[in-house]
Amino acid sequence: NPTILFLYGLVSSKGELVTDPIYQSIAYAGGFLVLERPNPAFANRFDTPRCFVTLAAPDGSWVRELDNCRECYTGKEYMIALSMDNSVDVWETTGERKAHFDGALFEEFLNGKFWERSDSSAVVYCKDDKVAYVCCKDDEGGKTLYLDLENGVVLDTPPEGYPKNYKDDASEPDLMLQRPKLGKRCEWQGCV
């Protein structure tokens, strides 16, 4: 079965063509435009990127091509880019790279595997502009590494003043714990 792929382009608010329709996906996420072009050479998710990723400012003031990007997603005010070589880049909404972590730094942590955010086996969370948490699920329950965004180093223990776990911080309440409690169960046609 052949795969049907719809391609999109960008136009200005006046309807002027900005790009040809070459993108399979265009999204706005956390202050970034994330544009994905299909990779015609894609054969295996471990050898080649599924698509080519471009980050851009919504107003077009900057554009960055992410070489060998496996996946990217927002993490607070930053874009996290996971590369085919397991390196991690943290991008700012100004188009500047905040930090780069070589894939070799994660070899022991990933145990010969690749970043797989889609199944939540390893996820990078930016706590603030200084520290990011790398949470990895495995057969033993998981491990956390700490990325020093200012110095580009990976730490086994959290920096002074930071909690051991990403969610353990009284200054950042867990919104799920604050959700309202309903006295009645609501059904499609009304409350019961």
Side-chain angles (χ1 to χ4, degrees):
N1 286 338
T3 301
I4 297 174
L5 186 62
F6 296 97
L7 298 177
Y8 306 94
L10 295 173
V11 296
S12 70
S13 60
K14 296 177 183 176
E16 299 161 331
L17 189 63
V18 176
T19 69
D20 288 330
I22 59 171
Y23 300 105
Q24 71 185 33
S25 168
I26 299 174
Y28 177 79
F32 298 86
L33 275 181
V34 182
L35 307 114
E36 296 182 347
R37 288 179 290 123
N39 180 358
F42 175 73
N44 179 315
R45 67 188 177 123
F46 300 111
D47 297 333
T48 55
R50 178 182 54 83
C51 58
F52 300 110
V53 178
T54 302
L55 289 185
D59 65 1
S61 60
W62 59 265
V63 175
R64 302 289 181 265
E65 296 294 331
L66 304 185
D67 296 332
N68 292 318
C69 184
R70 177 182 302 281
E71 185 173 4
C72 65
Y73 59 94
T74 58
K76 281 207 173 187
E77 297 150 13
Y78 301 99
M79 183 64 65
I80 311 296
L82 308 174
S83 295
M84 295 299 294
D85 65 358
N86 283 333
S87 64
V88 174
D89 290 301
V90 179
W91 291 89
E92 298 179 292
T93 56
T94 60
E96 300 302 316
R97 185 167 35 196
K98 171 78 175 163
H100 171 79
F101 298 90
D102 190 79
L105 297 170
F106 305 104
E107 284 179 3
E108 182 181 325
F109 178 70
L110 292 171
N111 295 320
K113 297 179 184 175
F114 294 93
W115 292 111
E116 291 286 343
R117 184 174 182 270
S118 59
D119 67 2
S120 299
S121 62
V123 183
V124 180
Y125 299 99
C126 285
K127 189 72 166 173
D128 54 26
D129 63 346
K130 294 179 177 62
V131 175
Y133 287 59
V134 180
C135 305
C136 182
K137 294 180 184 175
D138 59 22
D139 297 335
E140 299 168 13
K143 181 178 179 176
T144 301
L145 293 178
Y146 310 91
L147 306 183
D148 180 335
L149 300 178
E150 293 181 324
N151 300 308
V153 294
V154 178
L155 308 168
D156 286 329
T157 58
E160 188 175 329
Y162 285 87
K164 183 176 180 181
N165 297 309
Y166 175 75
K167 296 255 183 204
D168 293 347
D169 188 352
S171 67
E172 292 186 24
D174 187 342
L175 297 178
M176 290 305 288
L177 297 175
Q178 296 180 6
R179 65 182 177 210
K181 294 187 176 24
L182 301 174
K184 298 180 179 182
R185 193 180 87 214
C186 291
E187 299 290 337
W188 172 252
Q189 296 297 323
C191 289
V192 200

